[in-house]
Amino acid sequence: MNANQYRWFEFTLIFITLPLIGFSLRDYLANWLIPALIILMSVCCMLLLSDPHFKRFRLTSLGQFSAVKRRIFSFFFLGALFSGMFYGIIHQGNWFTLPLNSFNDWLLLIVLYPLLSVLPQELIFRTYFFHRYKRIMPKKGIRIIVSATVFALAHLVYANWIAVGVAFLGGLLFSYTYAQSRSTFVCVIEHSLWGIWMFTLGIGSYLNSGALS
């Protein structure tokens, strides 16, 4: 098995086989999604840090934040405004239920969600994915689409198409941001903004395993 074949094997195992196994065992994994995510993140980080070609500053620097910050915040503002109005129309009964009914849980979400869910996801699906598979997917556009696709596939564990669809759209957005900024930290900021907003708005009800993802 040569290096490229190994990369394809590894990609298939991590990003296709594991999500499908997770989907088939979803009834037993409700309380284990976050631990599994952190374990996978640890393995990916170990592989990244042992790779002499990986530029470690991508993990903590803001990279090309100045080039993407206007798009990130303007798009989030417009998207939050539209999604808030649209979701309020179609599902008013679930509108802002978390902060209104469980304010302390909402505050806990704001603190823990970026650390326990967003950071592992961005390290795995953006930083690790873009660096590790550049050799077998040299075109940046292909990596953006594939990253978004496997990110959506990972959300099959929630067993509803809304979670998968939202994850795909989010995956496209975050992957594009990483391709532009080359910064894990910037992607964590953007992902956290959208994720916290979705849970605040009520769409988090579709992620009904009880995990912060």
Side-chain angles (χ1 to χ4, degrees):
M1 183 181 294
N2 61 37
N4 284 352
Q5 289 172 330
Y6 177 79
R7 286 287 200 279
W8 279 116
F9 171 78
E10 180 190 281
F11 164 78
T12 303
L13 176 64
I14 295 176
F15 293 100
I16 297 178
T17 305
L18 286 182
L20 292 178
I21 292 174
F23 175 72
S24 65
L25 299 177
R26 62 190 180 278
D27 293 335
Y28 306 98
L29 296 177
N31 297 320
W32 294 97
L33 293 181
I34 291 298
L37 189 64
I38 292 174
I39 291 171
L40 182 57
M41 176 197 69
S42 301
V43 173
C44 291
C45 284
M46 180 184 67
L47 292 172
L48 281 176
L49 295 177
S50 64
D51 185 345
H53 300 292
F54 176 66
K55 299 175 181 177
R56 298 187 180 192
F57 66 83
R58 298 200 190 285
L59 296 172
T60 55
S61 76
L62 287 174
Q64 301 299 316
F65 181 60
S66 59
V68 300
K69 63 180 179 180
R70 180 175 295 180
R71 175 186 61 78
I72 287 175
F73 292 111
S74 61
F75 191 73
F76 172 72
F77 176 76
L78 292 173
L81 184 64
F82 173 78
S83 61
M85 292 188 298
F86 181 73
Y87 192 68
I89 293 172
I90 66 170
H91 208 325
Q92 190 172 4
N94 201 38
W95 207 37
F96 294 102
T97 53
L98 182 60
L100 291 175
N101 298 334
S102 305
F103 186 73
N104 289 338
D105 290 342
W106 180 66
L107 291 179
L108 192 63
L109 172 79
I110 292 174
V111 174
L112 296 182
Y113 176 72
L115 295 175
L116 299 182
S117 182
V118 174
L119 179 59
Q121 289 180 66
E122 290 307 312
L123 282 167
I124 296 167
F125 291 96
R126 254 61 69 179
T127 309
Y128 180 81
F129 181 92
F130 271 75
H131 175 77
R132 187 74 168 176
Y133 305 118
K134 183 177 182 179
R135 176 185 295 179
I136 60 175
M137 302 178 198
K139 292 185 178 180
K140 191 178 293 185
I142 295 297
R143 273 178 283 154
I144 289 172
I145 294 172
V146 176
S147 173
T149 301
V150 296
F151 186 61
L153 186 64
H155 286 72
L156 276 176
V157 70
Y158 295 109
N160 70 80
W161 290 109
I162 292 178
V164 174
V166 169
F168 179 72
L169 294 176
L172 285 176
L173 181 62
F174 309 144
S175 296
Y176 181 68
T177 295
Y178 185 78
Q180 283 193 311
S181 69
R182 306 300 287 176
S183 168
T184 305
F185 189 59
V186 171
C187 288
V188 168
I189 293 172
E190 183 177 37
H191 190 159
S192 297
L193 283 173
W194 281 103
I196 290 172
W197 169 248
M198 292 299 177
F199 277 103
T200 301
L201 185 60
I203 299 176
S205 62
Y206 292 102
L207 307 180
N208 55 13
S209 70
L212 296 174
S213 180

